[in-house]
Amino acid sequence: MKIAFLGLGQMGRAIAVNLIDAGHTVTVWNRSEGRAASLGEAGAIIATTPRDAVEGAETVFTMLADDKAVTSVVNGTDGLLAGLGPDAIHVGMSTVGVGFTDDLAAQHIAMGRTYIAAPVFGRPDAAAAARLFVLAGGDANAIDRCRPLFDVIGQRLFIAGPKPSHASVVKLSGNFMIMAAVEAMAESMALCEANGVARGTFLDVIQNTLFNAPVYRNYGAMLAEERYRPAGFGAPLGLKDMRLVDEAAEVARVAMPSLGVIRNRLRSAIAAHGEDIDWAGIALAAKPAV
Ligand code: NAP
């Protein structure tokens, strides 16, 4: 299949490599040219603009930082929509806002183009291992057409609903739950540590009893080892996601009091430890003073 892939950050690069390795013809574009050039060695065709990348493509993936990045790549004379064919499908994998996703879908419909959302659960190592969980939202036929590609990049596809924003809200809600779990673990580990119980001992108990789930195992190990660099998912991106959760909650008039704690923890972690800390670094604020 002829594929265009726009956005070669930690996630996009790993996903694009898997699509190339599966035998697809993949044209790539990235804002900073160096990242695209290195994918040329892996077999990708390098495009100089989003428009060039998507012309002639059957499926176009975007995996960009945030709403602003997607807006700048989609619009303009050299933008994605200027080159997207009427039979092509734009698959948005970035984690973006619920209202933003509705607007993006409407923009595609107004131009007779197809947009589905397919954000993912899984960090860069899961992307490289093709073990992502893909959450798709949008037209069922369009999702079906992309299914073979989702099979290449992930371990399971979930259909969130008929609107692209259904996938966005599921993804954002899941990310909120990850942060809530990390905060609860961090507070509990601090309490155990303050009473002389090692973090690893506490983790061994919880992950093998009541909390035997990937989020506790994976993030629990990071917290126990206090391993927050290099960031697999940077705290600034996590803060962006929590802002998007808050935006959606405000529109829907849903109270999420613990979200306020988490947003403040992320702000503090970035202010105290820098932009390059992993979002699980919120645990540092819960650590007892020595
Ligand atoms: P990343 O490594 O920071 O990459 C971000 C990408 O967005 C880069 O290609 C960057 O281009 C591009 N970009 C940023 N601002 C832009 C702009 N204004 N115009 C054009 N391109 C722009 O991020 P990532 O970890 O791959 O995450 C990508 C998306 O996946 C995010 O929405 C994130 O929330 C989501 N996600 C991440 C993870 C994770 O664990 N990392 C897991 C699931 C979902 P440059 O190279 O030029 O900077």
Side-chain angles (χ1 to χ4, degrees):
M1 193 182 281
K2 286 186 78 175
I3 294 171
F5 206 106
L6 314 183
L8 304 169
Q10 295 207 79
M11 296 296 284
R13 183 190 168 80
I15 296 168
V17 165
N18 284 333
L19 291 167
I20 295 166
D21 289 350
H24 297 288
T25 304
V26 182
T27 302
V28 298
W29 175 87
N30 193 65
R31 180 181 61 173
S32 358
E33 288 173 9
R35 276 174 152 169
S38 67
L39 258 195
E41 288 150 31
I45 301 160
I46 318 283
T48 51
T49 66
R51 178 185 182 150
D52 286 346
V54 310
E55 274 171 353
E58 297 159 83
T59 309
V60 173
F61 289 95
T62 45
M63 187 45 138
L64 299 154
D66 51 21
D67 299 14
K68 197 171 134 218
V70 174
T71 300
S72 78
V73 168
V74 163
N75 296 303
T77 47
D78 281 332
L80 178 160
L81 270 174
L84 190 72
D87 298 323
I89 301 170
H90 174 191
V91 183
M93 305 193 89
S94 324
T95 306
V96 289
V98 174
F100 177 82
T101 305
D102 282 334
D103 292 346
L104 191 62
Q107 189 183 4
H108 282 69
I109 289 169
M111 293 182 67
R113 300 294 186 265
T114 304
Y115 178 75
I116 63 172
V120 297
F121 282 132
R123 290 165 61 96
D125 54 343
R131 300 290 295 162
L132 294 171
F133 293 106
V134 180
L135 320 167
D139 176 72
N141 290 330
I143 293 173
D144 251 3
R145 271 176 56 198
C146 296
R147 200 177 275 272
L149 300 177
F150 293 143
D151 289 345
V152 167
I153 64 179
Q155 58 176 300
R156 187 165 167 190
L157 170 68
F158 294 86
I159 311 289
K163 285 168 60 177
S165 59
H166 289 146
S168 298
V169 75
V170 171
K171 166 66 189 168
L172 288 168
S173 300
N175 273 12
F176 164 67
M177 289 186 66
I178 294 173
M179 275 288 93
V182 168
E183 175 65 23
M185 262 191 298
E187 291 176 19
S188 304
M189 278 185 184
L191 182 62
C192 287
E193 208 171 27
N195 283 278
V197 177
R199 290 167 167 252
T201 304
F202 171 70
L203 180 62
D204 184 39
V205 174
I206 56 155
Q207 72 182 2
N208 291 303
T209 53
L210 303 174
F211 297 93
N212 183 10
V215 72
Y216 294 102
R217 282 197 299 275
N218 300 339
Y219 284 96
M222 290 174 73
L223 266 55
E225 294 160 23
E226 301 193 76
R227 172 169 43 81
Y228 306 117
R229 284 192 180 87
F233 185 63
L237 284 179
L239 184 59
K240 172 263 297 184
D241 286 358
M242 295 307 106
R243 176 178 52 77
L244 297 176
V245 172
D246 203 28
E247 255 175 45
E250 188 152 323
V251 171
R253 299 285 187 255
V254 172
M256 300 182 77
S258 46
L259 177 61
V261 172
I262 288 162
R263 285 185 79 180
N264 278 314
R265 285 287 208 217
L266 280 162
R267 286 183 197 133
S268 308
I270 295 167
H273 304 287
E275 302 276 325
D276 64 337
I277 191 136
D278 195 276
W279 73 334
I282 64 165
L284 287 166
K287 218 174 135 56
V290 278

Short mmCIF file of all heavy atoms in Angstrom, two decimals, residues 1-5 15-28 39 42-45 57-59 61 145-153:
data_model
loop_
_atom_site.label_atom_id
_atom_site.label_comp_id
_atom_site.label_asym_id
_atom_site.label_seq_id
_atom_site.Cartn_x
_atom_site.Cartn_y
_atom_site.Cartn_z
N MET A 1 0.84 -1.19 0.00
CA MET A 1 0.00 0.00 0.00
C MET A 1 0.89 1.25 0.00
O MET A 1 1.97 1.24 0.58
CB MET A 1 -0.90 -0.01 1.25
CG MET A 1 -2.02 1.00 1.18
SD MET A 1 -3.05 1.04 2.69
CE MET A 1 -4.11 -0.38 2.47
N LYS A 2 0.40 2.31 -0.64
CA LYS A 2 1.16 3.57 -0.64
C LYS A 2 0.74 4.40 0.58
O LYS A 2 -0.43 4.76 0.72
CB LYS A 2 0.89 4.37 -1.92
CG LYS A 2 1.60 3.78 -3.13
CD LYS A 2 1.45 4.66 -4.34
CE LYS A 2 2.40 5.86 -4.27
NZ LYS A 2 2.37 6.66 -5.50
N ILE A 3 1.71 4.63 1.44
CA ILE A 3 1.43 5.28 2.73
C ILE A 3 2.26 6.56 2.85
O ILE A 3 3.41 6.59 2.40
CB ILE A 3 1.80 4.32 3.89
CG1 ILE A 3 0.88 3.09 3.85
CG2 ILE A 3 1.74 5.02 5.24
CD1 ILE A 3 1.30 1.99 4.80
N ALA A 4 1.66 7.58 3.45
CA ALA A 4 2.45 8.75 3.85
C ALA A 4 2.45 8.81 5.37
O ALA A 4 1.42 8.53 6.01
CB ALA A 4 1.84 10.03 3.28
N PHE A 5 3.60 9.16 5.95
CA PHE A 5 3.70 9.24 7.41
C PHE A 5 4.31 10.58 7.79
O PHE A 5 5.46 10.87 7.43
CB PHE A 5 4.54 8.08 7.96
CG PHE A 5 4.18 7.75 9.37
CD1 PHE A 5 3.45 6.62 9.67
CD2 PHE A 5 4.52 8.61 10.42
CE1 PHE A 5 3.06 6.34 10.97
CE2 PHE A 5 4.14 8.34 11.72
CZ PHE A 5 3.42 7.21 12.00
N ILE A 15 6.72 3.58 14.48
CA ILE A 15 5.56 3.05 13.74
C ILE A 15 5.88 3.02 12.24
O ILE A 15 5.59 2.03 11.55
CB ILE A 15 4.31 3.92 14.03
CG1 ILE A 15 3.92 3.83 15.50
CG2 ILE A 15 3.14 3.48 13.14
CD1 ILE A 15 2.88 4.86 15.94
N ALA A 16 6.49 4.10 11.75
CA ALA A 16 6.82 4.16 10.32
C ALA A 16 7.78 3.04 9.93
O ALA A 16 7.62 2.41 8.87
CB ALA A 16 7.42 5.53 9.98
N VAL A 17 8.75 2.75 10.79
CA VAL A 17 9.71 1.67 10.49
C VAL A 17 8.97 0.34 10.36
O VAL A 17 9.24 -0.46 9.46
CB VAL A 17 10.81 1.60 11.58
CG1 VAL A 17 11.59 0.31 11.50
CG2 VAL A 17 11.75 2.80 11.48
N ASN A 18 8.00 0.10 11.24
CA ASN A 18 7.24 -1.16 11.15
C ASN A 18 6.45 -1.26 9.86
O ASN A 18 6.32 -2.34 9.28
CB ASN A 18 6.33 -1.31 12.37
CG ASN A 18 7.10 -1.70 13.61
OD1 ASN A 18 8.16 -2.33 13.51
ND2 ASN A 18 6.62 -1.31 14.77
N LEU A 19 5.91 -0.13 9.40
CA LEU A 19 5.15 -0.14 8.14
C LEU A 19 6.10 -0.41 6.96
O LEU A 19 5.76 -1.15 6.03
CB LEU A 19 4.42 1.20 7.96
CG LEU A 19 3.26 1.43 8.94
CD1 LEU A 19 2.79 2.88 8.91
CD2 LEU A 19 2.08 0.49 8.62
N ILE A 20 7.29 0.18 7.01
CA ILE A 20 8.28 -0.07 5.94
C ILE A 20 8.68 -1.55 5.97
O ILE A 20 8.70 -2.21 4.93
CB ILE A 20 9.54 0.82 6.15
CG1 ILE A 20 9.19 2.29 5.99
CG2 ILE A 20 10.65 0.41 5.18
CD1 ILE A 20 10.26 3.26 6.50
N ASP A 21 8.96 -2.06 7.16
CA ASP A 21 9.40 -3.45 7.28
C ASP A 21 8.33 -4.44 6.81
O ASP A 21 8.64 -5.55 6.42
CB ASP A 21 9.80 -3.77 8.73
CG ASP A 21 11.11 -3.09 9.13
OD1 ASP A 21 11.78 -2.54 8.22
OD2 ASP A 21 11.44 -3.09 10.33
N ALA A 22 7.06 -4.00 6.88
CA ALA A 22 5.97 -4.89 6.43
C ALA A 22 5.81 -4.85 4.91
O ALA A 22 4.92 -5.50 4.35
CB ALA A 22 4.66 -4.48 7.11
N GLY A 23 6.65 -4.06 4.23
CA GLY A 23 6.65 -4.07 2.76
C GLY A 23 5.86 -2.95 2.11
O GLY A 23 5.70 -2.93 0.89
N HIS A 24 5.35 -2.01 2.89
CA HIS A 24 4.60 -0.89 2.30
C HIS A 24 5.56 0.17 1.76
O HIS A 24 6.71 0.28 2.20
CB HIS A 24 3.66 -0.28 3.36
CG HIS A 24 2.63 -1.26 3.82
ND1 HIS A 24 1.57 -1.64 3.03
CD2 HIS A 24 2.51 -1.96 4.99
CE1 HIS A 24 0.84 -2.53 3.70
NE2 HIS A 24 1.38 -2.74 4.88
N THR A 25 5.03 0.93 0.79
CA THR A 25 5.81 2.05 0.25
C THR A 25 5.48 3.26 1.10
O THR A 25 4.34 3.75 1.09
CB THR A 25 5.41 2.31 -1.22
OG1 THR A 25 5.58 1.08 -1.93
CG2 THR A 25 6.25 3.40 -1.84
N VAL A 26 6.46 3.71 1.87
CA VAL A 26 6.18 4.76 2.86
C VAL A 26 6.95 6.04 2.53
O VAL A 26 8.19 6.03 2.45
CB VAL A 26 6.53 4.28 4.29
CG1 VAL A 26 6.19 5.36 5.30
CG2 VAL A 26 5.79 2.99 4.62
N THR A 27 6.20 7.12 2.32
CA THR A 27 6.81 8.43 2.13
C THR A 27 6.68 9.18 3.44
O THR A 27 5.60 9.20 4.04
CB THR A 27 6.08 9.21 1.02
OG1 THR A 27 6.13 8.44 -0.18
CG2 THR A 27 6.74 10.56 0.76
N VAL A 28 7.78 9.76 3.90
CA VAL A 28 7.75 10.41 5.22
C VAL A 28 8.05 11.89 5.11
O VAL A 28 8.74 12.35 4.19
CB VAL A 28 8.77 9.76 6.20
CG1 VAL A 28 8.43 8.31 6.45
CG2 VAL A 28 10.20 9.90 5.70
N LEU A 39 15.37 8.22 8.34
CA LEU A 39 14.44 7.14 7.94
C LEU A 39 14.66 6.72 6.49
O LEU A 39 14.24 5.63 6.09
CB LEU A 39 13.00 7.58 8.13
CG LEU A 39 12.28 7.06 9.36
CD1 LEU A 39 10.80 7.25 9.24
CD2 LEU A 39 12.58 5.60 9.63
N ALA A 42 16.29 3.61 6.26
CA ALA A 42 15.44 2.44 6.56
C ALA A 42 14.53 2.09 5.37
O ALA A 42 13.76 1.12 5.44
CB ALA A 42 14.60 2.72 7.80
N GLY A 43 14.58 2.89 4.30
CA GLY A 43 13.80 2.55 3.11
C GLY A 43 12.66 3.50 2.80
O GLY A 43 11.89 3.25 1.86
N ALA A 44 12.54 4.59 3.55
CA ALA A 44 11.43 5.53 3.30
C ALA A 44 11.80 6.50 2.17
O ALA A 44 12.98 6.78 1.94
CB ALA A 44 11.15 6.33 4.56
N ILE A 45 10.76 7.00 1.51
CA ILE A 45 10.94 8.08 0.54
C ILE A 45 10.77 9.38 1.33
O ILE A 45 9.84 9.50 2.14
CB ILE A 45 9.87 7.99 -0.57
CG1 ILE A 45 9.97 6.64 -1.29
CG2 ILE A 45 9.98 9.16 -1.56
CD1 ILE A 45 8.70 6.24 -2.04
N ALA A 57 -0.95 9.05 -2.00
CA ALA A 57 -0.99 8.05 -0.92
C ALA A 57 -2.42 7.55 -0.71
O ALA A 57 -3.38 8.31 -0.83
CB ALA A 57 -0.46 8.66 0.38
N GLU A 58 -2.55 6.27 -0.37
CA GLU A 58 -3.89 5.71 -0.05
C GLU A 58 -4.23 5.96 1.42
O GLU A 58 -5.39 6.17 1.77
CB GLU A 58 -3.89 4.20 -0.33
CG GLU A 58 -3.65 3.86 -1.80
CD GLU A 58 -3.16 2.43 -1.96
OE1 GLU A 58 -4.01 1.52 -1.98
OE2 GLU A 58 -1.92 2.22 -2.06
N THR A 59 -3.21 5.90 2.25
CA THR A 59 -3.43 6.14 3.69
C THR A 59 -2.36 7.11 4.18
O THR A 59 -1.18 6.95 3.86
CB THR A 59 -3.32 4.82 4.49
OG1 THR A 59 -4.16 3.84 3.87
CG2 THR A 59 -3.74 5.00 5.93
N PHE A 61 -0.85 8.84 7.62
CA PHE A 61 -0.80 8.87 9.09
C PHE A 61 -0.19 10.20 9.56
O PHE A 61 0.79 10.66 8.98
CB PHE A 61 0.10 7.75 9.63
CG PHE A 61 -0.49 6.38 9.50
CD1 PHE A 61 -0.17 5.59 8.40
CD2 PHE A 61 -1.34 5.87 10.46
CE1 PHE A 61 -0.70 4.30 8.28
CE2 PHE A 61 -1.87 4.59 10.35
CZ PHE A 61 -1.56 3.81 9.25
N ARG A 145 -10.82 -0.50 6.29
CA ARG A 145 -9.79 -0.43 5.25
C ARG A 145 -8.39 -0.30 5.86
O ARG A 145 -7.40 -0.74 5.28
CB ARG A 145 -10.05 0.76 4.32
CG ARG A 145 -10.97 0.39 3.15
CD ARG A 145 -11.31 1.58 2.29
NE ARG A 145 -10.15 2.29 1.75
CZ ARG A 145 -10.19 3.54 1.27
NH1 ARG A 145 -11.32 4.21 1.27
NH2 ARG A 145 -9.11 4.10 0.80
N CYS A 146 -8.32 0.33 7.03
CA CYS A 146 -7.01 0.53 7.67
C CYS A 146 -6.61 -0.64 8.57
O CYS A 146 -5.48 -0.67 9.08
CB CYS A 146 -7.03 1.81 8.50
SG CYS A 146 -7.28 3.27 7.50
N ARG A 147 -7.52 -1.56 8.79
CA ARG A 147 -7.27 -2.65 9.75
C ARG A 147 -5.96 -3.39 9.50
O ARG A 147 -5.19 -3.64 10.45
CB ARG A 147 -8.47 -3.62 9.71
CG ARG A 147 -8.61 -4.48 10.92
CD ARG A 147 -9.87 -5.33 10.79
NE ARG A 147 -11.05 -4.65 11.25
CZ ARG A 147 -11.50 -4.66 12.51
NH1 ARG A 147 -10.83 -5.36 13.42
NH2 ARG A 147 -12.59 -4.04 12.85
N PRO A 148 -5.64 -3.74 8.22
CA PRO A 148 -4.37 -4.46 8.00
C PRO A 148 -3.15 -3.65 8.46
O PRO A 148 -2.14 -4.22 8.90
CB PRO A 148 -4.33 -4.67 6.48
CG PRO A 148 -5.74 -4.52 6.01
CD PRO A 148 -6.41 -3.58 6.96
N LEU A 149 -3.25 -2.32 8.36
CA LEU A 149 -2.13 -1.49 8.80
C LEU A 149 -2.07 -1.43 10.32
O LEU A 149 -1.00 -1.47 10.93
CB LEU A 149 -2.26 -0.07 8.22
CG LEU A 149 -2.27 0.00 6.68
CD1 LEU A 149 -2.48 1.43 6.20
CD2 LEU A 149 -0.97 -0.57 6.11
N PHE A 150 -3.25 -1.38 10.96
CA PHE A 150 -3.28 -1.39 12.42
C PHE A 150 -2.70 -2.72 12.94
O PHE A 150 -2.04 -2.74 13.98
CB PHE A 150 -4.70 -1.18 12.95
CG PHE A 150 -5.27 0.19 12.66
CD1 PHE A 150 -6.62 0.36 12.34
CD2 PHE A 150 -4.47 1.31 12.69
CE1 PHE A 150 -7.15 1.61 12.08
CE2 PHE A 150 -4.99 2.58 12.42
CZ PHE A 150 -6.33 2.73 12.12
N ASP A 151 -2.96 -3.81 12.20
CA ASP A 151 -2.41 -5.10 12.60
C ASP A 151 -0.88 -5.10 12.56
O ASP A 151 -0.23 -5.80 13.34
CB ASP A 151 -2.93 -6.23 11.69
CG ASP A 151 -4.41 -6.52 11.94
OD1 ASP A 151 -4.93 -6.07 12.98
OD2 ASP A 151 -5.04 -7.18 11.09
N VAL A 152 -0.31 -4.32 11.64
CA VAL A 152 1.15 -4.25 11.52
C VAL A 152 1.76 -3.50 12.70
O VAL A 152 2.84 -3.85 13.19
CB VAL A 152 1.55 -3.55 10.19
CG1 VAL A 152 3.03 -3.18 10.19
CG2 VAL A 152 1.22 -4.43 8.99
N ILE A 153 1.06 -2.48 13.19
CA ILE A 153 1.69 -1.60 14.18
C ILE A 153 1.27 -1.88 15.63
O ILE A 153 1.89 -1.38 16.54
CB ILE A 153 1.42 -0.11 13.86
CG1 ILE A 153 -0.07 0.23 13.96
CG2 ILE A 153 1.92 0.25 12.47
CD1 ILE A 153 -0.37 1.69 13.69
#
